[in-house]
C-alpha cells in the first residue's frame, strides 16, 4: 500500500511524505529534534536518491544519498561560504574539490584523503 502520510516519533522526529508498506518511501520531508531537515527521496525509511540536508549550524548538502549516507555527487556548503563539490562515499568526502567563499581552490580530495593546494 502506497500513499501520503505523516509520522511523528516519540523522540520528536517528524516525517511528512510518501509512505509504502508503512514506511518512509518516495518523496518526503524529515525534521529532526536538533533542527536538521532533509527534503528529498527516501527508501526503506532513510534518505536514498536525491535530497538536501540542512543542519542548524548552517551546513547544507545537496546531492545523492544511499542507505542514509551522502553517497555519489553532491555539494556541501559551509556557513563561512566554503564548499566541497564532488563525490561522497559512505558519508565521507571522497574525490572532489574544496573552494573558499571566493571560489578559489583551497584543497582537493582524492580517494578520501585531503590534498592541500
Amino acid at each position: 500500500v502506497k500513499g501520503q502520510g505523516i509520522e511523528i516519533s516519540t523522540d520528536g522526529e517528524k516525517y511528512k511524505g510518501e509512505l509504502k508498506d508503512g514506511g518512509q518511501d518516495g518523496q518526503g520531508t524529515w525534521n529532526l529534534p536538533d533542527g536538521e531537515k532533509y527534503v528529498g527521496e527516501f527508501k526503506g525509511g532513510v534518505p536514498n536518491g536525491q535530497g538536501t540536508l540542512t543542519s542548524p549550524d548552517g551546513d547544507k548538502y545537496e546531492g545523492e544519498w544511499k542507505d542514509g549516507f551522502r553517497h555519489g555527487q553532491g555539494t556541501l556548503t559551509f556557513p563561512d561560504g566554503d564548499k566541497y563539490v564532488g563525490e561522497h562515499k559512505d558519508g565521507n568526502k571522497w574525490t572532489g574539490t574544496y573552494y573558499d567563499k571566493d571560489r578559489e581552490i583551497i584543497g582537493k580530495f582524492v580517494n578520501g584523503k585531503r590534498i592541500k593546494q
Side-chain angles (χ1 to χ4, degrees):
V1 178
K2 188 169 183 156
Q4 294 285 321
I6 296 174
E7 292 183 347
I8 300 172
S9 70
T10 57
D11 63 359
E13 290 182 14
K14 182 179 178 183
Y15 173 82
K16 181 179 181 181
E18 294 179 295
L19 300 168
K20 182 178 177 186
D21 298 327
Q24 302 160 353
D25 199 75
Q27 290 292 323
T29 300
W30 189 24
N31 292 288
L32 291 107
D34 67 1
E36 281 189 323
K37 180 179 182 179
Y38 173 82
V39 178
E41 296 176 278
F42 287 82
K43 184 176 180 183
V46 295
N48 204 84
Q50 290 291 323
T52 301
L53 177 72
T54 307
S55 299
D57 63 6
D59 289 354
K60 182 178 183 179
Y61 173 74
E62 299 174 87
E64 298 175 311
W65 294 80
K66 182 178 177 187
D67 300 327
F69 294 99
R70 295 185 309 258
H71 193 91
Q73 295 298 314
T75 299
L76 182 57
T77 306
F78 301 95
D80 63 4
D82 289 358
K83 286 184 181 190
Y84 168 80
V85 179
E87 182 185 11
H88 292 81
K89 187 173 182 181
D90 300 322
N92 299 304
K93 297 174 201 80
W94 196 252
T95 300
T97 305
Y98 222 107
Y99 299 93
D100 68 12
K101 64 181 182 334
D102 299 318
R103 300 282 300 155
E104 298 289 327
I105 295 173
I106 56 175
K108 292 192 177 208
F109 276 81
V110 176
N111 296 326
K113 296 186 194 255
R114 186 167 181 174
I115 299 169
K116 295 261 183 187
Q117 287 295 84

